[in-house]
Amino acid sequence: MGNRFICMSKKDTKDTGSRSKRVNRSQRKLLAEEEFLHRQALSMALHQHQLSQRFDGSMSRRIGSTSSRRLADPFANGKQVPESLENIKIKKFILVHGEGFGAWCWYKTIALLEEAGLLPVTFDLKGSGIDLTDTNSVATLAEYSKPLIEYLENLEEDEKVILVGHSNGGACVSYALEHFSQKISKAIFICATMVSDGQRPFDVFAEELGSAEQFMQGSKFLIHGNGKDKPPTGFMFEKEQMKGLYFNQSPAKDVALAMVSMRPIPLGPIMEKLSLSPKNYGTSRRFFIQTLDDRALSPDVQEKLVRENPPEGVFKIKGSDHCPFFSKPQSLHKMLVEIAQIP
């Protein structure tokens, strides 16, 4: 066949050059926008880190310190309590992030709750956010949930809180309900792993990811932190897959923040079967918030969860992806307050 040569007129050459310049300008513009978003995300993550000292138990533990600071009462200076909050007896919300996330993901929810005069508390679970623990070393749900458990252990004897768990953070909330039911007024599961007794958190995602056995044998997302010849220790989706699963309705700035902040997910905690008793977990007040444009935990799967393990109440957010704290923060806030107001 031989090489083919294409003869072009001067006009054709000029047109091609113009198109090439336009493409180059477009590419440069896209790169500039991407770099701008990246810098904004980094700046936001750093800002959230700096703000961590404001939150009870801290949004993220400070390196080399285990101390925490108590939130000041927003009405201690004589301000009038909003009428809508007068019937909310429990004002402290403990926000528990999901798999791969960290305390940083709640920044919009924290601001909205504080503006309403409520008391948000959040922290990084083990191996998450800026917690220094190696993700590969987190093997159990108890270890993963340790920051939450330590916080509940240190509550005053008669103090109660509202627990809010997102995604796999729901398993941590279920674990806490079993061990500290007397300290938890209500538990709110946001498109979360509201598992039943003897169920693994991973089982909730089985329709999307396949059975646990299949996933452990063949997933390309697995991480072998102890060597290829040893069982996997974690997993992490590729960025494009994360965007499609978690953030299909989230603003670009929040997606950029997530892309520079997400961490690998420890495998042990989500493969652990929970032991939940009728006496503790079974008597707790549970509420579920469904996200109706969710690709990580489909509406059908969420419907199945509430059908098989009925909570006291079910709320639905239209147009929300798997991260309503990004895609529908106002709607999420409204529902959290509404649930808190339920007698």
Side-chain angles (χ1 to χ4, degrees), residues 282-316:
T283 58
S284 63
R285 300 188 67 186
R286 293 177 290 111
F287 299 83
F288 198 96
I289 296 178
Q290 296 181 345
T291 44
L292 301 186
D293 199 6
D294 194 327
R295 295 178 184 173
L297 199 64
S298 71
D300 289 342
V301 172
Q302 295 180 52
E303 196 64 43
K304 181 181 177 183
L305 276 177
V306 300
R307 188 171 60 249
E308 295 179 349
N309 189 12
E312 182 176 329
V314 177
F315 297 75
K316 300 182 180 184

Side-chain angles (χ1 to χ4, degrees), residues 47-49 51-61 97 102-107 110 121-125 130:
H47 182 55
Q48 295 309 316
H49 182 182
L51 287 177
S52 65
Q53 299 174 39
R54 295 174 53 198
F55 304 111
D56 193 347
S58 78
M59 273 184 70
S60 304
R61 292 298 177 91
H97 65 77
W104 53 267
C105 73
W106 295 109
Y107 78 96
I110 289 168
V121 178
T122 187
F123 28 68
D124 294 316
L125 298 174
I130 61 170

